């Protein structure tokens, strides 16, 4: 049973460029959340997608945007990259049960370096 | 604002001893808590969770205790092994919203 799959695993971009990160949720999950983890810190919530819509958003600028596809996979887009965007980007999938999110499962992340 | 904090940034234990990792949370509305283990270069790995209507939950070699009165959460690992060396995060969840993580505790297991 495949867990959460993220691609690419590593990425180097130049300031001002744009980047797209991809996530395939665990089989049976319908909700995808994205987190940013700076070195030595805990993950910070970016946003969550359910039924192809952004359901919640953390304290991140509009340069961060996302999308969820009908097959529940998701993309995270970051425009006008800054050096401070360098981090590990984590995708987590879960199953929405109407009141709870069940089975939060994280992928291994995409390490983004902005130079 | 909402926050999840940890008492100790680094915990060193001898192999075979029991480990206790503590976590304080500030939002009394939090209703779901998860402990994650994160090894270098990997994503957080689920260890155990607990809902606010419980005060204790046990898994294989791990136990989570929740004290809502003082807003405190702990993770107990029995017979700690070298493979348990990692950073441990507690995360809180409020009404199925986002997970809020602390900065983590590094567990070092010495032989």
């Amino acid at each position: 049973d495949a867990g959460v799959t993220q691609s690419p695993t590593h990425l180097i971009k130049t300031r001002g460029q744009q980047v797209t990160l991809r996530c395939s949720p665990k089989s049976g999950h319908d909700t995808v959340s994205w987190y940013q983890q700076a070195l030595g810190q805990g993950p910070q919530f970016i946003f969550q997608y359910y039924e192809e819509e952004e359901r919640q958003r953390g304290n991140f600028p509009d340069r961060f945007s996302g999308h969820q596809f009908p097959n529940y996979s998701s993309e995270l887009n970051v425009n006008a990259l800054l050096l401070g965007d360098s981090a590990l980007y984590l995708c987590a999938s879960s199953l929405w049960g109407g009141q709870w999110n069940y089975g939060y499962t994280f992928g291994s992340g995409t390490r983004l370096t902005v130079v | 604002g909402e926050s999840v904090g940890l008492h100790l940034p680094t915990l060193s234990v001898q192999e075979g001893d029991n480990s206790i990792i503590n976590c304080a949370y500030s939002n009394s509305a939090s209703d779901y808590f998860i402990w994650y283990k994160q090894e270098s270069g990997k994503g957080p790995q689920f260890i155990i969770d607990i809902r606010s209507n419980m005060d204790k939950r046990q898994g294989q070699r791990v136990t989570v205790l929740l004290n809502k009165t003082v807003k405190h959460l702990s993770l107990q690992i029995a017979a700690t092994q070298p493979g348990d060396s990692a950073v441990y995060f507690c995360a809180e969840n409020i009404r199925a919203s986002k997970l809020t993580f602390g900065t983590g505790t590094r567990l070092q297991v010495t032989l």
Side-chain angles (χ1 to χ4, degrees), chain A residues 10-29:
Chain A
H10 295 83
L11 201 53
I12 300 175
K13 288 287 189 178
T14 304
R15 275 181 300 175
Q17 285 189 314
Q18 178 264 345
V19 68
T20 298
L21 310 181
R22 295 177 175 82
C23 173
S24 293
K26 182 177 179 179
S27 178
H29 285 183

Side-chain angles (χ1 to χ4, degrees), chain A residues 35 37 40-45 48 55-59 88 90 96 99-109 111, chain B residues 31-32 34 36 38 41-46 49 51-52 87 89 93-104 106:
Chain A
Y35 291 79
Q37 186 176 24
Q41 301 294 320
Q44 298 293 314
F45 176 76
Q48 183 181 87
R55 184 163 65 176
Q56 298 178 61
R57 188 178 183 90
N59 189 25
L88 180 67
L90 295 162
W96 175 242
Q99 188 175 4
W100 302 95
N101 268 311
Y102 293 92
Y104 273 103
T105 304
F106 282 83
S108 294
R111 170 69 63 186
Chain B
D31 54 13
Y32 179 51
I34 308 173
Y36 286 97
Q38 188 173 26
K42 297 183 179 180
Q45 177 187 355
F46 174 92
D49 60 359
R51 299 205 181 274
S52 59
V87 176
F89 293 97
N93 185 243
I94 303 171
R95 293 186 295 278
S97 66
K98 63 180 181 179
L99 291 177
T100 301
F101 288 80
T103 54
R106 181 173 300 281

